[in-house]
Amino acid sequence: MILDSFRLDGRIALVTGCKRGIGQAMTLALAEAGADIVGVSATLEPDGGEVGRAVRALGRRFTAYACDFSRRDALDAFIARVRAEHPRIDILVNNAGSIRRAPIAEHADALWDEIIEINLRAPFVLAREVGRDMVARGSGKIIFTASLLSFQGGVTVPGYAASKGGIARLTQSFANEWAGKGVGVNAIAPGYISTDNTEALRADPVRQQAILSRIPAGRWGESRDLAGATVFLAGSASDYVHGHILVVDGGWLGR
């Protein structure tokens, strides 16, 4: 039955940036589809806090980790611990990210370095290390969180745009090597979603209206709008989908 290909019963999903916003919505979608969750965020509570309670209320297991992905030593230690405590990760959702806004002429090296480290290097290392085990087993799914700025340059966010452009190419690079080895690697590119990352835009009346007027759907997206795409790319329904950047943007890129 076709709906069975969207079920994730018995699988373990590692979700980065799971604490709030898009990451929390992805986490809950995977749990609703049957997956147990290994969740990590920079400031995640030991019990998983709100997202941990919500996953357990669905009858699924939730294991919480805290890690600052801007620190290479912390990332390496996290990966070693997760691989030891969870030898089998079936689904990796590389969602954790950050954004720093400043005009290009004032965009300091420190801002650039921080965003590239969190948004590009950390997802690459996680996918490489967790994905290596998937390749050895001959099965697994990796989902990167891309962005509309995987396709566009944006304004006052050069580091973010560069990192998300890199995520798109990274997704395709992994897929080119691993599609024939049983590992599906794809990305989701959210449009303008009401989250912490877009708070500054929504608080600016001019920018808010300019953005809203271009979205054919006539509204900003909600984090839950990413749920269906996440479950699709995590399950067997997407087994012949590789290296794809699935845009969920209310029609923005079509304008």
Side-chain angles (χ1 to χ4, degrees), residues 196-208:
D196 293 348
N197 278 358
T198 60
E199 185 175 359
L201 296 177
R202 288 180 287 113
D204 181 333
V206 176
R207 291 280 283 138
Q208 143 83 4

Side-chain angles (χ1 to χ4, degrees), residues 158-204:
Y160 183 83
S163 71
K164 292 303 183 178
I167 285 294
R169 301 294 79 76
L170 199 60
T171 299
Q172 294 167 332
S173 294
F174 272 98
N176 287 344
E177 294 194 34
W178 289 356
K181 298 179 180 180
V183 180
V185 184
N186 296 284
I188 299 173
Y192 285 93
I193 310 295
S194 295
T195 66
D196 293 348
N197 278 358
T198 60
E199 185 175 359
L201 296 177
R202 288 180 287 113
D204 181 333

Side-chain angles (χ1 to χ4, degrees), residues 70-89:
S70 70
R71 292 178 43 214
R72 296 190 177 191
D73 60 337
L75 175 63
D76 292 344
F78 165 70
I79 292 172
R81 184 180 174 192
V82 165
R83 292 180 75 186
E85 296 178 358
H86 304 277
R88 182 184 182 103
I89 298 293

